[in-house]
Amino acid sequence: MSYEYSENTLVQESAGHLLQDELGWEVAYAYNTEVLGANGTFGRKSYREILLTRYFRAALKKLNPWITSAQTDEAQKKLESRLSTASLMQINEEKYFLIRDGIPVTVKKANGQTDTRAAAVIDFKHPQENHFLAIKELKIYGDLYRRRTDIVGFVNGIPLLFVELKKNSVDVQNAYTDNYTDYLDTIPHLFYYNAFLMLSNGVEAKVGTLGSKYEFFHEWKRLKESDEGDVALETMLRGICRKENFLDLFENFILFDHSGGHTAKILARNHQYLGVNEAVKAYEARKLKDGKLGVFWHTQGSGKSYSMVFLAQKIRRKQEGSPTFVVLTDREELNKQISDTFENCGLLGTAKAKKFVAPSGKKLIDMLKGNPSFIFTLIQKFNKPDTPPIYPDHDIVIMSDEAHRSQNGIFADNMMALLPTASRIGFTGTPLLSNDNITQRTFGG
């Protein structure tokens, strides 16, 4: 064994031990030890297979007690099938939503007609009920080439995690340029289901998503906001691969942004993940906080609009009820930018953003009396000071962009008078020292 390869192995071994001993993953070594076949090591019949059907089918039966063998076959076929003309990103996006939201299978009704029912693939409520497997040195064959991956992480047999490791003395970017891009060309089917791409030399680590250029891979420095920060692989594994975090990130912190006719897959950055989850905790305790959810502070260029989308997405998916999110800005161009981001990331369903925009004070009041999922408007539209307060049966969550500007003055006072029971959170790149409307605490980064 060469010295260089032994150094690579040390990094791989350290990662494997952390995944297994601390984070509770099953860890296996495959190179020259894997036995193929239905009764083999992982149930793979060939080195081309990247969906571990043994674990996938077992999870389907466990999570869906009603499912039949025929429906299990149907679910597997739907997950594995793809259009030959689809791009890798299109395949990845389609499979993401099947995994997150369930695979529709045919159900026969008592009257002889058929319907569809979603078969759950992952138990997001109970992370420990899923099977987490990390395989080191896994052989994967493409049409023309054969490759061996450092670590591939599977949840219920689905390869969601890819980890490429280099020795300590090699720059992390080499893992991207020398290995990851090669795998995209030679074994692209490995990335059909992928959620997280990790690149590391042990002392430094980066995480990104399919389609990202290297400069958009980012560090995962902190496990909680009070941490000083550490860019080592161990910190990233603890922050992302803890089972609860892994499934939380997969379910609530991935977006496909279709802006400008191009699809970009977005994974929350470390500060967004921590900040949004702090905001969700504040939302859960909103009655004790008099609706003050705090201020989400961002440095310039750190993804403020995406943080707003992540927060709305998680509250809608994980909290009871159907709140109305009022997204406030103080400039028309910002209003259009943010509403377009929500539309392009799919949070408005198939509707266009303009359906949710309140262009006048009167229209705003009419919309607030209903229960739309979103309202996008300017703080200046709260210009009807004599309007009686609105006490809806549902929650209203006000998300104020550029809160250092939009949450002061007569229009902000009008808003508070009109919506006395609403919850309020501010988003800003300019720290707020004090604000009676929204401040409980400041978080983010």
Side-chain angles (χ1 to χ4, degrees):
M1 180 184 294
S2 70
Y3 175 68
E4 179 175 337
Y5 185 74
S6 67
E7 282 200 350
N8 283 344
T9 303
L10 287 174
V11 177
Q12 186 189 91
E13 285 296 304
S14 297
H17 285 311
L18 195 152
L19 285 168
Q20 180 171 279
D21 299 338
E22 183 176 327
L23 302 177
W25 289 57
E26 179 185 343
V27 177
Y29 183 83
Y31 185 58
N32 287 340
T33 63
E34 179 183 5
V35 177
L36 295 178
N39 298 318
T41 311
F42 308 115
R44 291 202 299 171
K45 297 177 183 177
S46 79
Y47 292 126
R48 285 190 56 84
E49 293 184 13
I50 48 100
L51 178 68
L52 303 183
T53 57
R54 171 192 294 172
Y55 307 103
F56 172 70
R57 293 175 71 91
L60 280 177
K61 293 175 182 177
K62 177 181 178 180
L63 302 179
N64 309 280
W66 49 268
I67 203 167
T68 65
S69 294
Q71 290 167 330
T72 302
D73 292 341
E74 181 184 3
Q76 180 181 330
K77 183 177 180 181
K78 284 186 176 179
L79 186 62
E80 290 186 306
S81 66
R82 63 182 176 86
L83 287 174
S84 59
T85 56
S87 68
L88 184 54
M89 181 65 78
Q90 288 172 326
I91 294 169
N92 186 268
E93 181 176 6
E94 178 187 13
K95 296 189 184 306
Y96 171 77
F97 288 107
L98 288 175
I99 297 167
R100 190 191 73 173
D101 300 332
I103 303 173
V105 296
T106 304
V107 177
K108 292 184 179 179
K109 299 165 67 174
N111 60 7
Q113 295 181 332
T114 60
D115 200 353
T116 58
R117 182 174 181 180
V121 177
I122 292 176
D123 187 343
F124 290 103
K125 291 183 178 180
H126 309 96
Q128 302 298 329
E129 294 300 312
N130 301 282
H131 180 252
F132 288 76
L133 170 66
I135 302 180
K136 300 183 292 184
E137 302 288 330
L138 184 68
K139 285 184 182 179
I140 301 174
Y141 287 2
D143 292 335
L144 299 174
Y145 300 95
R146 302 176 178 184
R147 293 294 182 263
R148 190 168 82 239
T149 54
D150 285 335
I151 298 176
V152 178
F154 299 80
V155 179
N156 296 341
I158 305 170
L160 300 181
L161 172 67
F162 169 86
V163 184
E164 179 62 29
L165 301 171
K166 308 300 287 185
K167 64 176 182 176
N168 296 155
S169 59
V170 174
D171 192 279
V172 174
Q173 188 167 355
N174 285 47
Y176 182 94
T177 55
D178 295 346
N179 302 95
Y180 166 60
T181 54
D182 172 67
Y183 294 152
L184 283 176
D185 290 335
T186 57
I187 50 172
H189 56 299
L190 172 61
F191 303 99
Y192 285 174
Y193 310 94
N194 179 267
F196 310 110
L197 302 167
M198 290 187 187
L199 312 171
S200 181
N201 60 7
V203 295
E204 185 181 1
K206 301 275 190 176
V207 64
T209 57
L210 183 70
S212 298
K213 295 180 180 179
Y214 179 73
E215 53 263 35
F216 294 107
F217 278 64
H218 51 85
E219 297 165 339
W220 204 272
K221 298 180 181 180
R222 297 176 176 83
L223 306 183
K224 55 184 183 296
E225 285 200 324
S226 58
D227 290 350
E228 290 187 6
D230 186 348
V231 299
L233 177 60
E234 288 85 351
T235 304
M236 179 170 288
L237 291 174
R238 290 187 176 105
I240 294 178
C241 292
R242 181 172 175 261
K243 293 178 181 180
E244 292 80 2
N245 294 10
F246 194 94
L247 296 188
D248 185 21
L249 280 161
F250 182 87
E251 181 185 12
N252 303 301
F253 291 92
I254 288 176
L255 301 170
F256 289 85
D257 187 340
H258 298 277
S259 300
H262 168 76
T263 301
K265 187 176 183 181
I266 308 298
L267 170 67
R269 299 181 187 182
N270 191 186
H271 72 276
Q272 292 173 313
Y273 176 69
L274 296 175
V276 166
N277 278 333
E278 287 296 324
V280 170
K281 290 178 186 177
Y283 175 77
E284 291 171 343
R286 58 197 177 281
K287 293 182 180 178
L288 299 176
K289 299 175 180 290
D290 192 29
K292 299 176 183 179
L293 306 187
V295 177
F296 200 138
W297 181 72
H298 288 68
T299 55
Q300 187 173 4
S302 61
K304 183 150 51 76
S305 295
Y306 285 137
S307 294
M308 298 171 81
V309 176
F310 286 129
L311 176 58
Q313 175 169 261
K314 181 157 187 179
I315 289 177
R316 291 182 71 194
R317 287 189 63 83
K318 308 304 287 186
Q319 302 295 319
E320 294 182 356
S322 54
T324 292
F325 290 88
V326 180
V327 183
L328 283 181
T329 62
D330 65 345
R331 295 176 183 173
E332 287 287 0
E333 62 271 22
L334 289 175
N335 193 36
K336 178 170 174 39
Q337 174 192 322
I338 292 176
S339 59
D340 284 349
T341 298
F342 273 74
E343 176 189 321
N344 291 325
C345 290
L347 262 71
L348 308 184
T350 58
K352 296 295 183 182
K354 63 181 181 181
K355 174 184 176 183
F356 299 93
V357 173
S360 66
K362 181 180 184 305
K363 179 63 175 177
L364 173 60
I365 291 169
D366 290 342
M367 293 175 75
L368 287 168
K369 289 179 178 178
N371 185 201
S373 52
F374 293 95
I375 299 173
F376 300 94
T377 195
L378 305 179
I379 186 65
Q380 300 93 297
K381 303 305 178 185
F382 285 92
N383 54 14
K384 306 290 184 184
D386 297 326
T387 306
I390 297 173
Y391 295 95
D393 294 331
H394 56 276
D395 286 334
I396 291 181
V397 182
I398 298 170
M399 299 198 296
S400 297
D401 186 33
E402 302 297 346
H404 61 287
R405 295 196 307 257
S406 64
Q407 287 304 299
N408 291 294
I410 187 170
F411 296 122
D413 293 341
N414 290 346
M415 179 193 73
M416 291 297 300
L418 181 65
L419 302 171
T421 61
S423 301
R424 290 93 58 199
I425 182 170
F427 291 79
T428 182
T430 302
L432 283 174
L433 297 179
S434 177
N435 186 287
D436 290 339
N437 290 346
I438 56 180
T439 304
Q440 271 284 338
R441 55 165 301 210
T442 301
F443 45 84

PDB file of all heavy atoms in Angstrom, residues 334-352:
ATOM      1  N   LEU A 334     -37.747  44.964  -4.659  1.00  0.00           N
ATOM      2  CA  LEU A 334     -37.526  43.900  -3.683  1.00  0.00           C
ATOM      3  C   LEU A 334     -38.753  42.998  -3.579  1.00  0.00           C
ATOM      4  O   LEU A 334     -38.637  41.780  -3.444  1.00  0.00           O
ATOM      5  CB  LEU A 334     -37.207  44.493  -2.310  1.00  0.00           C
ATOM      6  CG  LEU A 334     -35.845  45.161  -2.146  1.00  0.00           C
ATOM      7  CD1 LEU A 334     -35.741  45.794  -0.763  1.00  0.00           C
ATOM      8  CD2 LEU A 334     -34.730  44.154  -2.354  1.00  0.00           C
ATOM      9  N   ASN A 335     -39.930  43.611  -3.641  1.00  0.00           N
ATOM     10  CA  ASN A 335     -41.176  42.845  -3.579  1.00  0.00           C
ATOM     11  C   ASN A 335     -41.254  41.855  -4.741  1.00  0.00           C
ATOM     12  O   ASN A 335     -41.600  40.675  -4.559  1.00  0.00           O
ATOM     13  CB  ASN A 335     -42.363  43.802  -3.605  1.00  0.00           C
ATOM     14  CG  ASN A 335     -43.669  43.121  -3.226  1.00  0.00           C
ATOM     15  OD1 ASN A 335     -43.703  42.242  -2.371  1.00  0.00           O
ATOM     16  ND2 ASN A 335     -44.752  43.529  -3.867  1.00  0.00           N
ATOM     17  N   LYS A 336     -40.904  42.321  -5.924  1.00  0.00           N
ATOM     18  CA  LYS A 336     -40.921  41.438  -7.099  1.00  0.00           C
ATOM     19  C   LYS A 336     -39.856  40.359  -6.991  1.00  0.00           C
ATOM     20  O   LYS A 336     -40.097  39.185  -7.295  1.00  0.00           O
ATOM     21  CB  LYS A 336     -40.726  42.243  -8.381  1.00  0.00           C
ATOM     22  CG  LYS A 336     -40.684  41.364  -9.642  1.00  0.00           C
ATOM     23  CD  LYS A 336     -40.738  42.174 -10.895  1.00  0.00           C
ATOM     24  CE  LYS A 336     -40.542  41.322 -12.147  1.00  0.00           C
ATOM     25  NZ  LYS A 336     -41.187  40.025 -12.125  1.00  0.00           N
ATOM     26  N   GLN A 337     -38.679  40.745  -6.538  1.00  0.00           N
ATOM     27  CA  GLN A 337     -37.586  39.782  -6.414  1.00  0.00           C
ATOM     28  C   GLN A 337     -37.950  38.652  -5.457  1.00  0.00           C
ATOM     29  O   GLN A 337     -37.755  37.467  -5.769  1.00  0.00           O
ATOM     30  CB  GLN A 337     -36.327  40.488  -5.924  1.00  0.00           C
ATOM     31  CG  GLN A 337     -35.153  39.560  -5.630  1.00  0.00           C
ATOM     32  CD  GLN A 337     -34.041  40.269  -4.884  1.00  0.00           C
ATOM     33  OE1 GLN A 337     -33.746  41.425  -5.144  1.00  0.00           O
ATOM     34  NE2 GLN A 337     -33.446  39.581  -3.933  1.00  0.00           N
ATOM     35  N   ILE A 338     -38.479  38.999  -4.298  1.00  0.00           N
ATOM     36  CA  ILE A 338     -38.791  37.976  -3.297  1.00  0.00           C
ATOM     37  C   ILE A 338     -39.979  37.120  -3.728  1.00  0.00           C
ATOM     38  O   ILE A 338     -39.955  35.891  -3.603  1.00  0.00           O
ATOM     39  CB  ILE A 338     -39.053  38.630  -1.929  1.00  0.00           C
ATOM     40  CG1 ILE A 338     -37.758  39.232  -1.392  1.00  0.00           C
ATOM     41  CG2 ILE A 338     -39.610  37.613  -0.938  1.00  0.00           C
ATOM     42  CD1 ILE A 338     -37.909  39.983  -0.108  1.00  0.00           C
ATOM     43  N   SER A 339     -41.029  37.744  -4.268  1.00  0.00           N
ATOM     44  CA  SER A 339     -42.197  36.958  -4.702  1.00  0.00           C
ATOM     45  C   SER A 339     -41.809  36.027  -5.845  1.00  0.00           C
ATOM     46  O   SER A 339     -42.279  34.875  -5.913  1.00  0.00           O
ATOM     47  CB  SER A 339     -43.346  37.879  -5.110  1.00  0.00           C
ATOM     48  OG  SER A 339     -42.981  38.750  -6.171  1.00  0.00           O
ATOM     49  N   ASP A 340     -40.929  36.486  -6.734  1.00  0.00           N
ATOM     50  CA  ASP A 340     -40.451  35.624  -7.818  1.00  0.00           C
ATOM     51  C   ASP A 340     -39.640  34.451  -7.263  1.00  0.00           C
ATOM     52  O   ASP A 340     -39.729  33.323  -7.769  1.00  0.00           O
ATOM     53  CB  ASP A 340     -39.584  36.414  -8.801  1.00  0.00           C
ATOM     54  CG  ASP A 340     -40.413  37.299  -9.734  1.00  0.00           C
ATOM     55  OD1 ASP A 340     -41.643  37.146  -9.757  1.00  0.00           O
ATOM     56  OD2 ASP A 340     -39.813  38.138 -10.438  1.00  0.00           O
ATOM     57  N   THR A 341     -38.859  34.695  -6.217  1.00  0.00           N
ATOM     58  CA  THR A 341     -38.076  33.612  -5.608  1.00  0.00           C
ATOM     59  C   THR A 341     -38.996  32.548  -5.032  1.00  0.00           C
ATOM     60  O   THR A 341     -38.770  31.342  -5.222  1.00  0.00           O
ATOM     61  CB  THR A 341     -37.153  34.162  -4.506  1.00  0.00           C
ATOM     62  OG1 THR A 341     -36.225  35.088  -5.090  1.00  0.00           O
ATOM     63  CG2 THR A 341     -36.380  33.039  -3.826  1.00  0.00           C
ATOM     64  N   PHE A 342     -40.049  32.959  -4.342  1.00  0.00           N
ATOM     65  CA  PHE A 342     -41.013  31.994  -3.794  1.00  0.00           C
ATOM     66  C   PHE A 342     -41.679  31.201  -4.924  1.00  0.00           C
ATOM     67  O   PHE A 342     -41.862  29.990  -4.816  1.00  0.00           O
ATOM     68  CB  PHE A 342     -42.070  32.716  -2.959  1.00  0.00           C
ATOM     69  CG  PHE A 342     -41.678  32.930  -1.522  1.00  0.00           C
ATOM     70  CD1 PHE A 342     -40.731  33.889  -1.179  1.00  0.00           C
ATOM     71  CD2 PHE A 342     -42.259  32.183  -0.520  1.00  0.00           C
ATOM     72  CE1 PHE A 342     -40.364  34.089   0.137  1.00  0.00           C
ATOM     73  CE2 PHE A 342     -41.909  32.367   0.808  1.00  0.00           C
ATOM     74  CZ  PHE A 342     -40.950  33.330   1.138  1.00  0.00           C
ATOM     75  N   GLU A 343     -42.035  31.886  -6.005  1.00  0.00           N
ATOM     76  CA  GLU A 343     -42.653  31.207  -7.143  1.00  0.00           C
ATOM     77  C   GLU A 343     -41.679  30.225  -7.789  1.00  0.00           C
ATOM     78  O   GLU A 343     -42.025  29.057  -8.018  1.00  0.00           O
ATOM     79  CB  GLU A 343     -43.104  32.227  -8.186  1.00  0.00           C
ATOM     80  CG  GLU A 343     -43.679  31.597  -9.456  1.00  0.00           C
ATOM     81  CD  GLU A 343     -43.914  32.609 -10.569  1.00  0.00           C
ATOM     82  OE1 GLU A 343     -44.362  33.740 -10.269  1.00  0.00           O
ATOM     83  OE2 GLU A 343     -43.647  32.275 -11.744  1.00  0.00           O
ATOM     84  N   ASN A 344     -40.465  30.681  -8.061  1.00  0.00           N
ATOM     85  CA  ASN A 344     -39.494  29.853  -8.765  1.00  0.00           C
ATOM     86  C   ASN A 344     -39.008  28.672  -7.936  1.00  0.00           C
ATOM     87  O   ASN A 344     -38.507  27.691  -8.492  1.00  0.00           O
ATOM     88  CB  ASN A 344     -38.305  30.703  -9.216  1.00  0.00           C
ATOM     89  CG  ASN A 344     -38.685  31.685 -10.306  1.00  0.00           C
ATOM     90  OD1 ASN A 344     -39.510  31.390 -11.159  1.00  0.00           O
ATOM     91  ND2 ASN A 344     -38.094  32.870 -10.273  1.00  0.00           N
ATOM     92  N   CYS A 345     -39.146  28.755  -6.621  1.00  0.00           N
ATOM     93  CA  CYS A 345     -38.770  27.644  -5.742  1.00  0.00           C
ATOM     94  C   CYS A 345     -39.947  26.718  -5.444  1.00  0.00           C
ATOM     95  O   CYS A 345     -39.801  25.767  -4.664  1.00  0.00           O
ATOM     96  CB  CYS A 345     -38.177  28.171  -4.446  1.00  0.00           C
ATOM     97  SG  CYS A 345     -36.546  28.939  -4.649  1.00  0.00           S
ATOM     98  N   GLY A 346     -41.107  26.993  -6.032  1.00  0.00           N
ATOM     99  CA  GLY A 346     -42.228  26.069  -5.947  1.00  0.00           C
ATOM    100  C   GLY A 346     -43.143  26.229  -4.752  1.00  0.00           C
ATOM    101  O   GLY A 346     -44.074  25.424  -4.577  1.00  0.00           O
ATOM    102  N   LEU A 347     -42.942  27.250  -3.914  1.00  0.00           N
ATOM    103  CA  LEU A 347     -43.779  27.373  -2.729  1.00  0.00           C
ATOM    104  C   LEU A 347     -45.180  27.889  -3.032  1.00  0.00           C
ATOM    105  O   LEU A 347     -46.069  27.795  -2.183  1.00  0.00           O
ATOM    106  CB  LEU A 347     -43.114  28.268  -1.681  1.00  0.00           C
ATOM    107  CG  LEU A 347     -42.387  27.466  -0.588  1.00  0.00           C
ATOM    108  CD1 LEU A 347     -41.138  26.821  -1.161  1.00  0.00           C
ATOM    109  CD2 LEU A 347     -42.080  28.324   0.614  1.00  0.00           C
ATOM    110  N   LEU A 348     -45.387  28.424  -4.218  1.00  0.00           N
ATOM    111  CA  LEU A 348     -46.712  28.929  -4.587  1.00  0.00           C
ATOM    112  C   LEU A 348     -47.480  27.917  -5.432  1.00  0.00           C
ATOM    113  O   LEU A 348     -48.521  28.247  -6.004  1.00  0.00           O
ATOM    114  CB  LEU A 348     -46.574  30.251  -5.344  1.00  0.00           C
ATOM    115  CG  LEU A 348     -45.730  31.340  -4.666  1.00  0.00           C
ATOM    116  CD1 LEU A 348     -45.759  32.615  -5.482  1.00  0.00           C
ATOM    117  CD2 LEU A 348     -46.213  31.592  -3.245  1.00  0.00           C
ATOM    118  N   GLY A 349     -46.986  26.683  -5.483  1.00  0.00           N
ATOM    119  CA  GLY A 349     -47.636  25.672  -6.310  1.00  0.00           C
ATOM    120  C   GLY A 349     -47.486  26.021  -7.777  1.00  0.00           C
ATOM    121  O   GLY A 349     -46.427  26.438  -8.232  1.00  0.00           O
ATOM    122  N   THR A 350     -48.563  25.870  -8.513  1.00  0.00           N
ATOM    123  CA  THR A 350     -48.531  26.192  -9.943  1.00  0.00           C
ATOM    124  C   THR A 350     -48.945  27.638 -10.222  1.00  0.00           C
ATOM    125  O   THR A 350     -48.937  28.073 -11.369  1.00  0.00           O
ATOM    126  CB  THR A 350     -49.466  25.245 -10.717  1.00  0.00           C
ATOM    127  OG1 THR A 350     -50.800  25.374 -10.199  1.00  0.00           O
ATOM    128  CG2 THR A 350     -49.009  23.795 -10.578  1.00  0.00           C
ATOM    129  N   ALA A 351     -49.311  28.378  -9.176  1.00  0.00           N
ATOM    130  CA  ALA A 351     -49.781  29.759  -9.350  1.00  0.00           C
ATOM    131  C   ALA A 351     -48.608  30.709  -9.587  1.00  0.00           C
ATOM    132  O   ALA A 351     -47.476  30.466  -9.179  1.00  0.00           O
ATOM    133  CB  ALA A 351     -50.578  30.207  -8.129  1.00  0.00           C
ATOM    134  N   LYS A 352     -48.894  31.805 -10.245  1.00  0.00           N
ATOM    135  CA  LYS A 352     -47.924  32.864 -10.452  1.00  0.00           C
ATOM    136  C   LYS A 352     -47.889  33.788  -9.237  1.00  0.00           C
ATOM    137  O   LYS A 352     -48.889  33.948  -8.531  1.00  0.00           O
ATOM    138  CB  LYS A 352     -48.250  33.658 -11.711  1.00  0.00           C
ATOM    139  CG  LYS A 352     -48.160  32.850 -12.999  1.00  0.00           C
ATOM    140  CD  LYS A 352     -46.735  32.403 -13.268  1.00  0.00           C
ATOM    141  CE  LYS A 352     -46.607  31.669 -14.581  1.00  0.00           C
ATOM    142  NZ  LYS A 352     -45.214  31.182 -14.815  1.00  0.00           N
TER     143      LYS A 352
END
